Amino acid sequence: MSRKRTLKEIQEDIRTLTRVPSEFIHAKLDELAEEVGELGNPGWIPCSERLPENAMNVIAQFSDGTVTELRYAGNGIFEGIYEYSTRVIIAWMPLPEPYKEDN
């Protein structure tokens, strides 16, 4: 699934489903449910798959299961109070967007 679609585009697909055969509706609803789930949870990215951009703050998971916020310094090094390498940190995810009050 591509994460490039917006929630508005997904909602438009849902509206379109009222005009198509039921077999297509069920298949499309399953696909849309998966996309909505991905929008709500960016998920963990294994360090073996790819690393964050340099100087990016991320949520990192250590090999022992501990989770904390760290800054990726580049060259396989994460910084916090101490420096950690990708041998100790197994996965990361971007920080969520900051909370904004509705006005």
Side-chain angles (χ1 to χ4, degrees), residues 2-44:
S2 169
R3 292 181 190 235
K4 295 179 183 174
R5 288 169 29 111
T6 64
L7 189 54
K8 186 174 182 177
E9 291 169 323
I10 294 170
Q11 289 170 330
E12 182 58 36
D13 271 359
I14 291 170
R15 282 191 284 281
T16 301
L17 289 175
T18 60
R19 300 183 293 271
V20 296
S22 65
E23 306 83 45
F24 177 78
I25 290 173
H26 292 291
K28 192 65 176 177
L29 283 173
D30 288 342
E31 184 180 310
L32 292 169
E34 186 176 329
E35 281 190 65
V36 168
E38 287 178 358
L39 286 172
N41 181 7
W44 289 102

Side-chain angles (χ1 to χ4, degrees), residues 65-102:
T66 302
V67 174
T68 190
E69 180 181 344
L70 295 173
R71 183 175 191 81
Y72 183 67
N75 297 323
I77 302 295
F78 288 84
E79 297 175 330
I81 297 172
Y82 303 103
E83 287 188 357
Y84 304 95
S85 75
T86 54
R87 284 175 277 153
V88 177
I89 298 184
I90 58 171
W92 64 277
M93 69 170 61
L95 292 177
E97 292 295 319
Y99 172 76
K100 293 181 184 173
E101 272 191 53
D102 293 333

